[in-house]
Amino acid sequence: MRIRTGGCQCGDIRYEIHGDPVEAYVCHCRECQKQSSSAFGISVIVNSSQLRLSSGTPSVWTRPATIGGSLDCAFCPRCGSRLWHGNPERDDIVSVKGGSLDTPPDLSAAKHIWTSRKLAGVLIPEHTETHAEEPPSSKAD
């Protein structure tokens, strides 16, 4: 079984993902743009049972979700790095923030979502699955 590792910028929080991700998204929504301070966010979707905290304790901030309801956002209380969205103790899946992984994710098969809010000049590769807004099966952005 493959184990992926990741954590925050300062190193206080470390985690492991046991097994392969379910899927990956490149999200162009305004919330991901703000959270990443960039053109998009990268979400690696994993089953909650795959995510294991190996050190530190994240803080959680809850924000309104784009499609209704709310979203728990785990982050490092020391450096502020966003780590994942969702509650691993309650939700079936969580959305690990791609930039927090030690080895960057392969985005060649990632789905691009919220392309209706994509910044001008950002190019999406041909033959990539895209969704103008939320994809039908997504639960955490």
Side-chain angles (χ1 to χ4, degrees), residues 6-15 35 53 55-61 73-85 97 100:
C8 65
Q9 278 186 295
C10 72
D12 279 2
I13 298 179
R14 299 290 302 156
Y15 65 81
Q35 179 259 311
L53 191 62
S55 67
T57 303
S59 291
V60 175
W61 172 65
C73 306
F75 65 96
C76 175
R78 181 171 174 223
C79 68
S81 297
R82 193 74 63 96
L83 301 164
W84 60 79
H85 290 169
K97 302 291 90 189
S100 72

Side-chain angles (χ1 to χ4, degrees), residues 16-31:
E16 295 177 344
I17 298 171
H18 293 253
D20 292 326
V22 175
E23 57 192 341
Y25 293 118
V26 174
C27 183
H28 299 271
C29 77
R30 285 293 298 143
E31 290 80 7

Side-chain angles (χ1 to χ4, degrees), residues 19-96:
D20 292 326
V22 175
E23 57 192 341
Y25 293 118
V26 174
C27 183
H28 299 271
C29 77
R30 285 293 298 143
E31 290 80 7
C32 282
Q33 291 170 4
K34 288 179 182 181
Q35 179 259 311
S36 67
S37 298
S38 188
F40 51 80
I42 299 170
S43 297
V44 177
I45 309 302
V46 302
N47 293 311
S48 292
S49 62
Q50 295 176 276
L51 180 65
R52 297 185 187 143
L53 191 62
S54 49
S55 67
T57 303
S59 291
V60 175
W61 172 65
T62 302
R63 70 163 174 85
T66 305
I67 59 170
S70 62
L71 184 64
D72 292 333
C73 306
F75 65 96
C76 175
R78 181 171 174 223
C79 68
S81 297
R82 193 74 63 96
L83 301 164
W84 60 79
H85 290 169
N87 181 335
E89 295 176 12
R90 179 194 65 220
D91 302 327
D92 292 336
I93 61 167
V94 291
S95 173
V96 174

